[in-house]
Amino acid sequence: MHRFRSLALCCAALAGPAAAKDLTVVSWGGAYEAAQHAAMVAPFAQETGMQVEMVRYDGTAGALARRGASEGWDVIDMLTDQARVACAKGLLLELDPQALLGAEALADFAPAAPSRCAVPQNVYARVMAYDERAFLGVKPTRIEDFFDVERFPGGRAVQKSPDGILEWALMAEGVPPAQIYGLLSTDRGLRLAFRKLDTIRDHIVWWRTTDEPAQMLEDGRATMAVGYNGRFFDAAELGGAPIDVVWDGQIVGVEVWAIAATTDAPDAARAFVAQASSPEAMARLAERIPYGPARVSAYARIGSNPKTGTPMRAYLPNAPQHGARALVRDAAWYANTEELRARRFQAWLNEGEE
């Protein structure tokens, strides 16, 4: 924490009188962005006196390439694989994690360590959820149920992307989690996954932004949905929506902080990343939205949601009761297959339009 304070004081001195905007932090909008603002952005702004603006994007390295320089992006919240892609393309500032955080802090990160261009900040899960009103008797309990439209009829809210749904398609075919990415690296595996998607093609309702899945369940456009655990929690626990989460088959990933290569405030950006990577900040985030901290020492600090009083540890993706069948998102596979996945997915979409 002393390291962060020295960085923050340095940046505050450089900033002088508060400008209209000293730092731009880019995130995903909605409940997640609101939680980040309360847990990380507001405390940083208060401590440094800086004006911090939050901007929403779609989470891709492509958006960073198109918008980052012209819109003055500084710090970006990214998926690990997108950060790898952006780093390889020179879109991110290279970091010195030890100088930024210290050797003791580096040893505290799990399940992923800081890298050349990114610092882990939270652990999230892509999960299945359903509208409790739609199934008054037997409830969905496993990924296979998502593909069973006879027993569990209704629309399926799915991101218009191959991300996550290909893994679930193979899982529903009985492929063990440990073999998923190996099989998806083959033509046979991709054909098998898309053939499984064919079974629900006519029931899919596509979504593009991460707040849509819960909305689609609430308004009846879908009875089951793919989405992020924190968004469903916010809709159900804070918004009172009749939504329940199925943890079977959850795909666990790591979100990171990165700094745009075109930033005009590198010192302020580093100071923000250092503060937002502290155990205290990670715990504050987990209390507001159930994304697990990326540092081990943060777990003991996690308490209750400040609005509802709900103890939050039980809702985290890595809570013991949620680990029966889980898949860790392979960031390297995602980074290396980006173009292939997009091409095969588009070809599958085109087949449905013929």
Side-chain angles (χ1 to χ4, degrees), residues 44-231:
F44 177 80
Q46 182 176 4
E47 177 139 8
T48 64
M50 293 186 187
Q51 297 296 314
V52 183
E53 177 186 19
M54 294 197 78
V55 173
R56 181 175 183 173
Y57 84 133
D58 66 3
T60 64
L64 170 59
R66 293 189 304 272
R67 300 171 54 193
S70 62
E71 296 183 20
W73 291 5
D74 299 306
V75 180
I76 310 104
D77 177 319
M78 306 188 80
L79 300 178
T80 303
D81 57 278
Q82 289 301 297
R84 290 175 69 123
V85 171
C87 186
K89 292 181 177 180
L91 298 173
L92 298 178
L93 194 71
E94 292 196 14
L95 305 173
D96 182 344
Q98 183 158 328
L100 182 66
L101 303 167
E104 184 177 346
L106 291 184
D108 190 38
F109 281 86
S115 64
R116 182 163 58 101
C117 293
V119 177
Q121 56 150 319
N122 70 66
V123 178
Y124 66 91
R126 183 182 287 257
V127 295
M128 176 179 83
Y130 64 90
D131 178 358
E132 294 177 331
R133 299 166 299 184
F135 310 116
L136 300 180
V138 177
K139 311 290 187 184
T141 58
R142 56 183 191 157
I143 287 301
E144 286 82 353
D145 296 336
F146 192 82
F147 295 87
D148 191 343
V149 291
E150 291 188 7
R151 291 184 65 214
F152 302 102
R156 300 302 197 254
V158 178
Q159 183 180 12
K160 199 163 190 179
S161 157
D163 293 6
I165 197 66
L166 295 182
E167 291 96 310
W168 278 0
L170 290 189
M171 206 176 291
E173 284 289 279
V175 179
Q179 299 177 20
I180 295 287
Y181 289 111
L183 188 54
L184 281 177
S185 298
T186 68
D187 181 68
R188 172 176 169 268
L190 288 171
R191 284 189 287 109
L192 181 62
F194 282 114
R195 190 166 70 221
K196 190 66 174 179
L197 282 186
D198 280 333
T199 64
I200 60 169
R201 184 194 287 272
D202 295 339
H203 301 268
I204 291 176
V205 184
W206 298 113
W207 60 263
R208 294 183 181 276
T209 62
T210 52
D211 53 353
E212 288 184 279
Q215 293 171 0
M216 289 178 171
L217 292 177
E218 284 191 74
D219 63 27
R221 281 177 287 168
T223 59
M224 300 176 74
V226 178
Y228 295 105
N229 70 291
R231 301 293 182 134

